[in-house]
Protein backbone atom coordinates (compact mmCIF):
# COMPACT_ATOMS: atom_id res chain seq x y z
CA UNK A 1 0.00 0.00 0.00
CA UNK A 2 1.20 3.49 -0.90
CA UNK A 3 -0.01 6.19 1.51
CA UNK A 4 0.17 9.45 -0.44
CA UNK A 5 -0.02 13.20 0.18
CA UNK A 6 0.65 13.28 3.91
CA UNK A 7 2.82 15.20 6.34
CA UNK A 8 5.10 12.57 7.86
CA UNK A 9 6.27 12.74 11.48
CA UNK A 10 9.13 10.26 11.50
CA UNK A 11 10.02 10.35 15.22
CA UNK A 12 13.61 9.87 14.16
CA UNK A 13 16.44 11.07 16.39
CA UNK A 14 16.57 13.99 15.84
CA UNK A 15 12.98 14.14 14.68
CA UNK A 16 12.18 15.01 11.07
CA UNK A 17 8.93 16.15 9.44
CA UNK A 18 8.43 15.50 5.72
CA UNK A 19 5.79 17.58 3.96
CA UNK A 20 3.68 16.32 1.03
CA UNK A 21 5.31 12.93 1.40
CA UNK A 22 4.40 9.26 1.02
CA UNK A 23 5.14 5.89 2.65
CA UNK A 24 5.21 2.50 0.94
CA UNK A 25 4.10 -0.47 3.06
CA UNK A 26 4.69 -4.08 2.05
CA UNK A 27 4.47 -7.31 4.05
CA UNK A 28 3.78 -5.42 7.24
CA UNK A 29 6.84 -3.18 7.05
CA UNK A 30 7.85 0.24 5.77
CA UNK A 31 9.95 -0.29 2.64
CA UNK A 32 10.23 3.25 1.29
CA UNK A 33 9.26 6.85 2.05
CA UNK A 34 9.92 10.24 0.54
CA UNK A 35 8.30 12.95 -1.61
CA UNK A 36 4.81 11.92 -2.64
CA UNK A 37 5.36 12.69 -6.32
CA UNK A 38 8.54 10.58 -6.46
CA UNK A 39 6.99 7.51 -4.82
CA UNK A 40 3.85 7.69 -6.94
CA UNK A 41 5.99 7.64 -10.07
CA UNK A 42 8.26 4.88 -8.70
CA UNK A 43 5.40 2.55 -7.67
CA UNK A 44 2.54 3.13 -10.13
CA UNK A 45 0.94 -0.30 -9.59
CA UNK A 46 0.66 -0.10 -5.80
CA UNK A 47 -2.69 0.12 -4.02
CA UNK A 48 -3.06 3.77 -3.00
CA UNK A 49 -4.45 5.51 0.04
CA UNK A 50 -4.74 9.27 -0.39
CA UNK A 51 -4.18 10.95 2.97
CA UNK A 52 -5.26 14.29 1.53
CA UNK A 53 -2.85 16.30 3.65
CA UNK A 54 -3.32 14.48 6.96
CA UNK A 55 -0.45 13.83 9.37
CA UNK A 56 1.08 10.35 9.21
CA UNK A 57 2.99 9.16 12.25
CA UNK A 58 3.78 5.95 14.14
CA UNK A 59 1.00 4.61 16.35
CA UNK A 60 1.06 5.36 20.06
CA UNK A 61 2.32 2.87 22.66
CA UNK A 62 0.92 2.14 26.13
CA UNK A 63 3.63 0.82 28.45
CA UNK A 64 1.30 -0.38 31.25
CA UNK A 65 -2.42 -1.09 31.28
CA UNK A 66 -5.10 -3.35 32.80
CA UNK A 67 -7.66 -4.66 30.29
CA UNK A 68 -9.50 -6.44 33.11
CA UNK A 69 -10.58 -3.11 34.60
CA UNK A 70 -12.87 -2.20 31.69
CA UNK A 71 -16.06 -3.13 33.56
CA UNK A 72 -15.27 -0.63 36.33
CA UNK A 73 -16.45 2.28 34.22
CA UNK A 74 -19.58 3.69 35.91
CA UNK A 75 -19.62 1.00 38.61
CA UNK A 76 -20.59 1.99 42.14
CA UNK A 77 -17.96 1.13 44.75
CA UNK A 78 -19.46 -0.99 47.51
CA UNK A 79 -20.00 0.77 50.85
CA UNK A 80 -18.60 4.16 51.80
CA UNK A 81 -16.21 5.90 49.41
CA UNK A 82 -12.59 4.73 49.80
CA UNK A 83 -10.44 7.23 51.69
CA UNK A 84 -7.04 6.18 50.33
CA UNK A 85 -5.38 3.86 47.84
CA UNK A 86 -5.31 0.74 50.08
CA UNK A 87 -9.08 1.13 50.48
CA UNK A 88 -9.48 1.56 46.71
CA UNK A 89 -7.73 -1.79 46.25
CA UNK A 90 -9.90 -3.55 48.85
CA UNK A 91 -13.22 -1.90 47.97
CA UNK A 92 -12.92 -1.90 44.17
CA UNK A 93 -10.16 -3.81 42.39
CA UNK A 94 -9.84 -6.85 44.67
CA UNK A 95 -13.57 -7.44 44.34
CA UNK A 96 -14.00 -6.70 40.67
CA UNK A 97 -11.17 -9.00 39.58
CA UNK A 98 -12.77 -11.91 41.50
CA UNK A 99 -16.11 -11.26 39.78
CA UNK A 100 -14.68 -11.81 36.29
CA UNK A 101 -15.50 -14.99 34.40
CA UNK A 102 -13.47 -16.41 31.52
CA UNK A 103 -15.81 -14.71 29.03
CA UNK A 104 -15.55 -11.43 30.95
CA UNK A 105 -11.77 -11.57 30.54
CA UNK A 106 -12.18 -11.93 26.77
CA UNK A 107 -14.78 -9.18 26.39
CA UNK A 108 -13.05 -6.71 28.70
CA UNK A 109 -9.96 -7.07 26.51
CA UNK A 110 -12.02 -6.60 23.35
CA UNK A 111 -13.58 -3.32 24.45
CA UNK A 112 -10.19 -1.97 25.51
CA UNK A 113 -8.71 -2.93 22.15
CA UNK A 114 -11.58 -1.25 20.29
CA UNK A 115 -10.80 1.87 22.30
CA UNK A 116 -7.09 1.52 21.46
CA UNK A 117 -7.68 1.19 17.71
CA UNK A 118 -10.09 4.09 17.64
CA UNK A 119 -7.58 6.30 19.45
CA UNK A 120 -4.41 5.29 17.63
CA UNK A 121 -2.78 3.10 20.29
CA UNK A 122 -1.16 0.25 18.39
CA UNK A 123 0.92 -1.54 21.08
CA UNK A 124 -0.14 -2.22 24.68
CA UNK A 125 1.60 -3.92 27.61
CA UNK A 126 -1.10 -5.52 29.78
CA UNK A 127 -1.08 -6.74 33.39
CA UNK A 128 -3.98 -9.11 34.07
CA UNK A 129 -5.84 -10.45 37.14
CA UNK A 130 -8.92 -12.71 37.41
CA UNK A 131 -8.55 -14.92 40.54
CA UNK A 132 -11.64 -17.03 39.77
CA UNK A 133 -10.67 -17.52 36.12
CA UNK A 134 -6.89 -17.94 36.06
CA UNK A 135 -6.21 -20.96 33.88
CA UNK A 136 -6.17 -19.98 30.21
CA UNK A 137 -6.99 -16.32 30.96
CA UNK A 138 -4.01 -15.09 28.96
CA UNK A 139 -5.21 -17.14 25.98
CA UNK A 140 -8.56 -15.34 26.20
CA UNK A 141 -6.79 -11.98 26.01
CA UNK A 142 -4.54 -13.27 23.22
CA UNK A 143 -7.67 -14.29 21.30
CA UNK A 144 -8.95 -10.70 21.55
CA UNK A 145 -5.54 -9.40 20.45
CA UNK A 146 -5.57 -11.74 17.45
CA UNK A 147 -9.05 -10.65 16.36
CA UNK A 148 -8.31 -6.95 16.82
CA UNK A 149 -4.98 -6.91 14.97
CA UNK A 150 -3.06 -4.86 17.55
CA UNK A 151 0.33 -5.65 19.13
CA UNK A 152 0.37 -6.62 22.85
CA UNK A 153 2.52 -8.03 25.64
CA UNK A 154 0.65 -10.02 28.31
CA UNK A 155 1.23 -11.40 31.80
CA UNK A 156 -0.77 -12.69 34.78
CA UNK A 157 -0.61 -10.94 38.16
CA UNK A 158 0.78 -13.33 40.80
CA UNK A 159 -0.19 -12.45 44.37
CA UNK A 160 -0.53 -14.06 47.81
CA UNK A 161 -3.73 -12.27 48.70
CA UNK A 162 -5.99 -15.09 47.44
CA UNK A 163 -4.13 -18.02 48.97
CA UNK A 164 -1.43 -20.48 47.95
CA UNK A 165 -3.52 -22.40 45.40
CA UNK A 166 -4.33 -19.31 43.38
CA UNK A 167 -0.81 -18.01 43.75
CA UNK A 168 0.52 -21.23 42.26
CA UNK A 169 -2.12 -21.12 39.52
CA UNK A 170 -0.96 -17.62 38.61
CA UNK A 171 2.64 -18.79 38.38
CA UNK A 172 1.60 -21.71 36.17
CA UNK A 173 -0.44 -19.42 33.90
CA UNK A 174 2.54 -17.15 33.30
CA UNK A 175 4.84 -20.10 32.61
CA UNK A 176 2.33 -21.86 30.34
CA UNK A 177 1.77 -18.72 28.27
CA UNK A 178 5.48 -18.00 27.97
CA UNK A 179 5.99 -21.58 26.76
CA UNK A 180 3.28 -21.06 24.16
CA UNK A 181 5.12 -18.02 22.86
CA UNK A 182 8.45 -19.86 22.88
CA UNK A 183 6.91 -22.46 20.55
CA UNK A 184 6.20 -19.69 18.02
CA UNK A 185 2.49 -19.22 18.71
CA UNK A 186 2.84 -15.45 18.85
CA UNK A 187 0.54 -14.06 16.13
CA UNK A 188 3.41 -13.51 13.69
CA UNK A 189 5.31 -11.46 16.24
CA UNK A 190 2.39 -9.32 17.48
CA UNK A 191 2.27 -11.10 20.84
CA UNK A 192 4.86 -11.29 23.61
CA UNK A 193 4.88 -12.07 27.33
CA UNK A 194 6.33 -11.17 30.70
CA UNK A 195 5.94 -12.61 34.21
CA UNK A 196 3.37 -10.62 36.20
CA UNK A 197 3.62 -9.80 39.91
CA UNK A 198 1.16 -7.62 41.82
CA UNK A 199 3.20 -5.59 44.33
CA UNK A 200 5.60 -6.19 47.18
CA UNK A 201 2.85 -5.67 49.76
CA UNK A 202 1.00 -8.82 48.58
CA UNK A 203 4.07 -10.95 47.87
CA UNK A 204 5.91 -13.13 50.38
CA UNK A 205 9.60 -13.99 50.16
CA UNK A 206 8.60 -17.53 49.20
CA UNK A 207 6.50 -16.25 46.31
CA UNK A 208 9.26 -14.00 45.03
CA UNK A 209 11.66 -16.97 45.13
CA UNK A 210 9.17 -19.20 43.30
CA UNK A 211 8.58 -16.53 40.66
CA UNK A 212 12.30 -16.07 40.04
CA UNK A 213 12.83 -19.84 39.82
CA UNK A 214 9.89 -20.32 37.46
CA UNK A 215 11.34 -18.55 34.44
CA UNK A 216 14.77 -18.14 32.80
CA UNK A 217 16.85 -15.00 33.31
CA UNK A 218 15.94 -13.49 29.96
CA UNK A 219 12.26 -13.18 30.95
CA UNK A 220 11.31 -9.86 32.53
CA UNK A 221 8.91 -9.13 35.39
CA UNK A 222 6.04 -6.64 35.31
CA UNK A 223 5.40 -5.45 38.89
CA UNK A 224 3.82 -2.50 40.73
CA UNK A 225 6.38 -0.64 42.83
CA UNK A 226 5.70 1.82 45.66
CA UNK A 227 2.50 3.20 44.16
CA UNK A 228 1.53 4.19 47.72
CA UNK A 229 3.71 4.57 50.80
CA UNK A 230 2.01 1.50 52.34
CA UNK A 231 4.07 -0.63 49.94
CA UNK A 232 7.30 0.76 51.39
CA UNK A 233 6.26 0.41 55.05
CA UNK A 234 5.03 -3.14 54.44
CA UNK A 235 8.38 -4.09 52.88
CA UNK A 236 10.35 -2.52 55.73
CA UNK A 237 8.23 -4.41 58.26
CA UNK A 238 8.61 -7.72 56.41
CA UNK A 239 12.33 -7.72 55.82
CA UNK A 240 13.93 -4.40 56.78
CA UNK A 241 14.37 -3.38 53.14
CA UNK A 242 12.56 -0.89 50.96
CA UNK A 243 10.61 -2.24 47.97
CA UNK A 244 13.20 -1.77 45.22
CA UNK A 245 15.96 -3.24 47.40
CA UNK A 246 13.75 -6.23 48.20
CA UNK A 247 12.88 -6.89 44.56
CA UNK A 248 16.52 -6.52 43.58
CA UNK A 249 17.51 -9.01 46.29
CA UNK A 250 15.25 -11.62 44.68
CA UNK A 251 16.48 -10.93 41.14
CA UNK A 252 13.21 -9.40 39.96
CA UNK A 253 14.71 -6.20 38.51
CA UNK A 254 16.76 -5.86 35.33
CA UNK A 255 16.80 -4.59 31.73
CA UNK A 256 13.71 -6.60 30.76
CA UNK A 257 11.62 -5.81 33.86
CA UNK A 258 9.08 -3.04 34.39
CA UNK A 259 8.62 -1.23 37.71
CA UNK A 260 5.19 0.39 37.54
CA UNK A 261 4.57 3.80 39.20
CA UNK A 262 7.58 4.11 41.57
CA UNK A 263 5.88 7.09 43.21
CA UNK A 264 7.36 6.66 46.70
CA UNK A 265 10.87 5.43 45.96
CA UNK A 266 13.77 7.22 47.61
CA UNK A 267 17.11 8.34 46.17
CA UNK A 268 18.84 5.00 46.81
CA UNK A 269 15.99 3.14 45.10
CA UNK A 270 16.27 5.46 42.11
CA UNK A 271 19.97 4.60 41.96
CA UNK A 272 19.14 0.89 42.17
CA UNK A 273 16.56 1.11 39.36
CA UNK A 274 19.12 2.92 37.24
CA UNK A 275 21.94 0.52 38.08
CA UNK A 276 19.84 -2.53 37.15
CA UNK A 277 18.54 -0.81 33.97
CA UNK A 278 14.96 -1.51 35.05
CA UNK A 279 12.22 0.24 33.10
CA UNK A 280 9.83 2.50 35.03
CA UNK A 281 6.36 3.41 33.79
CA UNK A 282 4.58 6.63 34.74
CA UNK A 283 0.76 6.77 34.84
CA UNK A 284 -0.18 10.37 35.76
CA UNK A 285 -3.96 10.06 35.30
CA UNK A 286 -4.10 7.05 37.62
CA UNK A 287 -1.80 8.63 40.21
CA UNK A 288 -3.99 11.73 40.30
CA UNK A 289 -7.23 9.72 40.45
CA UNK A 290 -5.96 7.56 43.32
CA UNK A 291 -4.40 10.50 45.16
CA UNK A 292 -1.10 8.65 45.65
CA UNK A 293 1.30 11.49 44.85
CA UNK A 294 3.63 12.44 42.00
CA UNK A 295 6.58 10.30 40.93
CA UNK A 296 10.00 11.98 40.70
CA UNK A 297 10.07 11.39 36.97
CA UNK A 298 12.51 14.17 36.08
CA UNK A 299 14.97 13.01 38.73
CA UNK A 300 14.66 9.42 37.53
CA UNK A 301 15.39 10.42 33.95
CA UNK A 302 18.39 12.48 35.08
CA UNK A 303 19.61 9.37 36.90
CA UNK A 304 19.49 7.43 33.65
CA UNK A 305 16.25 5.51 34.21
CA UNK A 306 14.25 4.85 31.07
CA UNK A 307 10.83 6.16 32.16
CA UNK A 308 7.91 5.22 29.92
CA UNK A 309 4.23 6.22 29.80
CA UNK A 310 1.30 3.91 30.51
CA UNK A 311 -2.35 4.45 31.40
CA UNK A 312 -3.01 1.92 34.22
CA UNK A 313 -6.31 0.90 32.63
CA UNK A 314 -7.65 4.36 31.88
CA UNK A 315 -8.84 5.02 28.32
CA UNK A 316 -6.33 4.20 25.60
CA UNK A 317 -5.98 7.84 24.64
CA UNK A 318 -2.25 8.11 25.11
CA UNK A 319 -2.03 11.76 24.13
CA UNK A 320 -4.23 12.41 27.17
CA UNK A 321 -1.55 10.72 29.26
CA UNK A 322 1.02 13.02 27.64
CA UNK A 323 -1.05 16.06 28.59
CA UNK A 324 -1.61 14.98 32.17
CA UNK A 325 2.10 14.31 32.59
CA UNK A 326 2.89 17.76 31.19
CA UNK A 327 0.48 19.54 33.57
CA UNK A 328 0.79 17.36 36.70
CA UNK A 329 4.45 18.04 37.36
CA UNK A 330 4.05 21.78 36.88
CA UNK A 331 1.17 21.81 39.33
CA UNK A 332 2.78 19.49 41.90
CA UNK A 333 6.03 21.50 41.89
CA UNK A 334 4.39 24.94 41.64
CA UNK A 335 6.71 25.63 38.73
CA UNK A 336 5.66 26.00 35.05
CA UNK A 337 9.21 25.21 33.94
CA UNK A 338 8.94 21.59 35.09
CA UNK A 339 8.30 18.65 32.72
CA UNK A 340 8.77 20.17 29.29
CA UNK A 341 6.93 18.69 26.33
CA UNK A 342 10.27 17.39 25.03
CA UNK A 343 10.58 15.28 28.19
CA UNK A 344 7.05 13.96 27.67
CA UNK A 345 8.00 12.95 24.12
CA UNK A 346 11.10 11.22 25.45
CA UNK A 347 8.86 9.04 27.61
CA UNK A 348 5.89 8.61 25.30
CA UNK A 349 7.79 8.04 22.05
CA UNK A 350 11.46 7.18 22.41
CA UNK A 351 11.44 5.28 25.73
CA UNK A 352 8.15 3.54 25.01
CA UNK A 353 9.37 2.25 21.67
CA UNK A 354 12.70 1.09 23.15
CA UNK A 355 10.74 -0.88 25.75
CA UNK A 356 8.58 -2.50 23.06
CA UNK A 357 11.65 -3.40 21.01
CA UNK A 358 13.10 -5.16 24.07
CA UNK A 359 9.90 -7.19 24.51
CA UNK A 360 9.30 -8.06 20.84
CA UNK A 361 12.64 -9.55 19.78
CA UNK A 362 14.05 -6.28 18.51
CA UNK A 363 11.18 -5.40 16.18
CA UNK A 364 11.49 -1.75 15.17
CA UNK A 365 8.33 0.13 16.12
CA UNK A 366 7.40 3.74 16.75
CA UNK A 367 9.44 5.22 13.89
CA UNK A 368 9.03 5.78 10.17
CA UNK A 369 12.15 4.28 8.63
CA UNK A 370 12.91 1.51 6.16
CA UNK A 371 12.47 -1.88 7.83
CA UNK A 372 10.28 -0.61 10.69
CA UNK A 373 6.96 -2.26 11.47
CA UNK A 374 4.12 -0.47 9.67
CA UNK A 375 2.24 0.54 12.85
CA UNK A 376 0.85 3.87 11.66
CA UNK A 377 -1.91 6.41 12.23
CA UNK A 378 -3.36 9.28 10.21
CA UNK A 379 -4.34 12.45 12.07
CA UNK A 380 -6.72 15.00 10.54
CA UNK A 381 -5.08 18.01 12.19
CA UNK A 382 -5.33 21.47 10.64
CA UNK A 383 -2.99 23.81 12.54
CA UNK A 384 -3.39 27.57 12.35
CA UNK A 385 0.23 28.14 13.42
CA UNK A 386 3.36 26.62 11.82
CA UNK A 387 4.39 23.10 12.82
CA UNK A 388 8.13 22.39 13.02
CA UNK A 389 10.30 19.66 14.47
CA UNK A 390 11.02 21.99 17.40
CA UNK A 391 7.43 22.83 18.34
CA UNK A 392 5.64 19.57 17.37
CA UNK A 393 5.47 18.27 20.98
CA UNK A 394 3.53 21.37 22.02
CA UNK A 395 1.20 21.00 19.01
CA UNK A 396 0.38 17.48 20.22
CA UNK A 397 -0.21 18.58 23.80
CA UNK A 398 -2.22 21.72 23.01
CA UNK A 399 -3.70 20.92 19.60
CA UNK A 400 -3.99 17.30 18.55
CA UNK A 401 -6.83 15.16 19.89
CA UNK A 402 -7.40 11.43 19.56
CA UNK A 403 -10.74 12.19 17.90
CA UNK A 404 -8.72 13.52 14.94
CA UNK A 405 -7.28 10.05 14.21
CA UNK A 406 -8.91 8.66 11.07
CA UNK A 407 -6.77 5.59 10.27
CA UNK A 408 -4.98 3.01 12.41
CA UNK A 409 -2.66 0.37 10.94
CA UNK A 410 -0.66 -2.40 12.64
CA UNK A 411 1.86 -4.59 10.81
CA UNK A 412 0.62 -3.16 7.53
CA UNK A 413 -3.01 -4.13 8.16
CA UNK A 414 -5.57 -1.32 8.30
CA UNK A 415 -7.62 -1.74 11.49
CA UNK A 416 -9.59 1.50 11.17
CA UNK A 417 -10.22 3.66 8.10
CA UNK A 418 -12.18 6.91 7.98
CA UNK A 419 -12.92 6.31 11.69
CA UNK A 420 -14.64 2.97 10.98
CA UNK A 421 -13.28 -0.14 12.70
CA UNK A 422 -12.54 -2.88 10.18
CA UNK A 423 -11.42 -5.86 12.28
CA UNK A 424 -13.93 -5.70 15.13
CA UNK A 425 -17.73 -5.41 15.18
CA UNK A 426 -17.94 -2.37 17.43
CA UNK A 427 -21.72 -2.38 17.82
CA UNK A 428 -21.99 -6.14 18.35
CA UNK A 429 -19.19 -6.23 20.94
CA UNK A 430 -20.57 -3.21 22.79
CA UNK A 431 -24.03 -4.79 22.96
CA UNK A 432 -22.60 -8.12 24.16
CA UNK A 433 -20.59 -6.42 26.91
CA UNK A 434 -23.49 -4.21 27.96
CA UNK A 435 -25.60 -7.35 28.41
CA UNK A 436 -22.88 -9.05 30.51
CA UNK A 437 -21.84 -6.27 32.85
CA UNK A 438 -24.90 -6.20 35.20
CA UNK A 439 -24.30 -9.85 36.19
CA UNK A 440 -20.61 -9.14 36.80
CA UNK A 441 -21.48 -6.11 38.93
CA UNK A 442 -23.93 -8.25 40.92
CA UNK A 443 -21.23 -10.88 41.56
CA UNK A 444 -18.95 -8.07 42.73
CA UNK A 445 -21.63 -6.75 45.09
CA UNK A 446 -22.23 -10.19 46.62
CA UNK A 447 -18.51 -10.78 47.08
CA UNK A 448 -18.15 -7.48 48.88
CA UNK A 449 -21.20 -8.19 51.07
CA UNK A 450 -19.64 -11.51 52.12
CA UNK A 451 -16.47 -9.69 53.11
CA UNK A 452 -18.54 -7.25 55.14
Amino acid sequence: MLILRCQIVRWSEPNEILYNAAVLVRDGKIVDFGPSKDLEERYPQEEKLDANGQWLMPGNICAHTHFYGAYARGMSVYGTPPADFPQILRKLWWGLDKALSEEDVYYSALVCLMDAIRHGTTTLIDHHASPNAIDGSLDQIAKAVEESGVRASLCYEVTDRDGVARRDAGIRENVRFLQRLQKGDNLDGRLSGMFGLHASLTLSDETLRKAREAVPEHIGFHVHVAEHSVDEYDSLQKCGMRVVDRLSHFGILGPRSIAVHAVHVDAQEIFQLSRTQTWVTHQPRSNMNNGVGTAQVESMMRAGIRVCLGNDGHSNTMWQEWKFAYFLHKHANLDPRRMGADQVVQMGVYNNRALVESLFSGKKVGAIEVGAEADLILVDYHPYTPVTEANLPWHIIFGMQESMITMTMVAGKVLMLDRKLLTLDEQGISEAVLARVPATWERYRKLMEQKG
Side-chain angles (χ1 to χ4, degrees), residues 8-18 30 33 56-58 342 345-346 349-351 353 357 364-370 372 389-390 392-393:
I8 296 178
V9 176
R10 292 190 58 206
W11 287 133
S12 51
E13 297 184 82
N15 189 27
E16 181 182 25
I17 298 176
L18 305 177
I30 295 168
F33 63 90
L56 181 75
M57 59 182 70
D342 53 341
V345 168
Q346 182 64 46
V349 174
Y350 300 115
N351 291 353
R353 83 175 178 207
E357 288 168 13
K364 187 69 177 178
V365 299
I368 294 181
E369 62 181 57
V370 173
E389 288 87 353
L392 174 64

Side-chain angles (χ1 to χ4, degrees), residues 349-365:
V349 174
Y350 300 115
N351 291 353
N352 271 14
R353 83 175 178 207
L355 172 59
V356 171
E357 288 168 13
S358 77
L359 297 177
F360 286 83
S361 302
K363 284 183 179 292
K364 187 69 177 178
V365 299

Side-chain angles (χ1 to χ4, degrees), residues 35-111:
S36 193
K37 183 175 182 295
D38 291 355
L39 265 67
E40 192 166 14
E41 291 175 354
R42 198 179 307 157
Y43 306 104
Q45 303 305 317
E46 291 288 335
E47 176 189 1
K48 296 178 178 61
L49 174 60
D50 189 345
N52 196 28
Q54 295 184 78
W55 295 79
L56 181 75
M57 59 182 70
N60 286 318
I61 294 166
C62 176
H64 170 74
T65 193
H66 296 288
F67 296 154
Y68 80 85
Y71 289 10
R73 185 175 294 181
M75 187 179 81
S76 297
V77 176
Y78 181 80
T80 57
D84 55 26
F85 182 63
Q87 286 191 19
I88 291 172
L89 291 175
R90 292 193 297 270
K91 286 174 170 284
L92 173 58
W93 298 116
W94 293 352
L96 177 60
D97 63 5
K98 289 185 180 67
L100 298 174
S101 68
E102 186 176 279
E103 283 194 324
D104 288 327
V105 171
Y106 167 68
Y107 277 108
S108 62
L110 273 181
V111 294

Side-chain angles (χ1 to χ4, degrees), residues 147-177:
E147 293 170 2
S148 69
V150 302
R151 200 177 300 278
S153 179
L154 311 180
C155 68
Y156 187 86
E157 173 193 286
V158 172
T159 179
D160 289 320
R161 69 176 181 268
D162 300 311
V164 171
R166 285 174 175 163
R167 177 203 67 182
D168 291 346
I171 292 173
R172 288 194 303 272
E173 179 63 7
N174 277 303
V175 172
R176 182 198 63 78
F177 186 71

Side-chain angles (χ1 to χ4, degrees), residues 75-348:
M75 187 179 81
S76 297
V77 176
Y78 181 80
T80 57
D84 55 26
F85 182 63
Q87 286 191 19
I88 291 172
L89 291 175
R90 292 193 297 270
K91 286 174 170 284
L92 173 58
W93 298 116
W94 293 352
L96 177 60
D97 63 5
K98 289 185 180 67
L100 298 174
S101 68
E102 186 176 279
E103 283 194 324
D104 288 327
V105 171
Y106 167 68
Y107 277 108
S108 62
L110 273 181
V111 294
C112 288
L113 296 175
M114 288 196 309
D115 182 62
I117 294 169
R118 182 163 292 287
H119 298 118
T121 302
T122 52
T123 300
L124 304 101
I125 301 173
D126 185 58
H127 192 276
H128 176 64
S130 54
N132 288 322
I134 298 173
D135 295 347
S137 58
L138 296 182
D139 286 343
Q140 292 298 315
I141 301 172
K143 178 184 172 185
V145 171
E146 180 176 18
E147 293 170 2
S148 69
V150 302
R151 200 177 300 278
S153 179
L154 311 180
C155 68
Y156 187 86
E157 173 193 286
V158 172
T159 179
D160 289 320
R161 69 176 181 268
D162 300 311
V164 171
R166 285 174 175 163
R167 177 203 67 182
D168 291 346
I171 292 173
R172 288 194 303 272
E173 179 63 7
N174 277 303
V175 172
R176 182 198 63 78
F177 186 71
L178 290 167
Q179 289 172 344
R180 163 189 164 167
L181 297 173
Q182 193 172 30
K183 293 174 183 175
D185 188 3
N186 60 8
L187 308 183
D188 295 322
R190 286 193 294 108
L191 195 63
S192 77
M194 303 185 74
F195 193 105
L197 296 168
H198 174 243
S200 176
L201 75 139
T202 69
L203 296 165
S204 66
D205 287 359
E206 179 190 8
T207 298
L208 290 173
R209 272 193 297 269
K210 280 181 171 287
R212 180 64 276 174
E213 292 168 359
V215 292
E217 291 290 334
H218 70 275
I219 298 296
F221 291 89
H222 189 170
V223 56
H224 299 91
V225 172
E227 184 173 0
H228 185 276
S229 58
V230 69
D231 201 18
E232 294 287 11
Y233 287 112
D234 173 86
S235 183
L236 288 165
Q237 185 176 14
K238 279 177 180 172
C239 59
M241 290 186 283
R242 291 178 69 88
V243 171
V244 171
D245 301 322
R246 182 176 186 234
L247 295 176
S248 181
H249 174 74
F250 284 97
I252 302 301
L253 304 181
R256 291 184 177 272
S257 291
I258 299 172
V260 182
H261 298 299
V263 175
H264 292 275
V265 295
D266 68 7
Q268 174 60 27
E269 289 177 291
I270 289 175
F271 169 77
Q272 186 80 321
L273 290 167
S274 177
R275 185 189 67 79
T276 57
Q277 300 179 58
T278 302
W279 303 87
V280 169
T281 66
H282 181 41
Q283 290 71 220
R285 281 188 291 177
S286 172
N287 295 163
M288 294 171 72
N289 183 53
N290 291 328
V292 295
T294 306
Q296 301 173 62
V297 169
E298 293 158 300
S299 294
M300 291 183 198
M301 293 172 74
R302 275 177 50 79
I305 296 174
R306 298 166 297 180
V307 182
C308 303
L309 275 179
N311 64 25
D312 208 27
H314 284 246
S315 59
N316 290 301
T317 49
M318 288 308 297
W319 285 339
Q320 286 296 314
E321 215 67 52
W322 289 30
K323 294 170 187 182
F324 274 77
Y326 181 79
F327 295 125
L328 168 61
H329 294 266
K330 292 170 167 51
H331 176 75
N333 291 288
L334 304 179
D335 187 345
R337 296 167 295 186
R338 301 294 292 269
M339 189 57 72
D342 53 341
Q343 293 173 293
V344 176
V345 168
Q346 182 64 46
M347 292 188 289

Side-chain angles (χ1 to χ4, degrees), residues 349-417:
V349 174
Y350 300 115
N351 291 353
N352 271 14
R353 83 175 178 207
L355 172 59
V356 171
E357 288 168 13
S358 77
L359 297 177
F360 286 83
S361 302
K363 284 183 179 292
K364 187 69 177 178
V365 299
I368 294 181
E369 62 181 57
V370 173
E373 298 294 309
D375 296 1
L376 305 170
I377 60 175
L378 280 174
V379 187
D380 191 20
Y381 179 56
H382 300 278
Y384 53 81
T385 59
V387 179
T388 67
E389 288 87 353
N391 69 19
L392 174 64
W394 286 266
H395 270 277
I396 293 176
I397 286 173
F398 290 101
M400 291 187 185
Q401 306 290 335
E402 285 86 357
S403 60
M404 299 173 181
I405 295 170
T406 64
M407 187 276 289
T408 301
M409 170 188 287
V410 175
K413 182 176 182 178
V414 178
L415 311 184
M416 179 179 74
L417 185 61

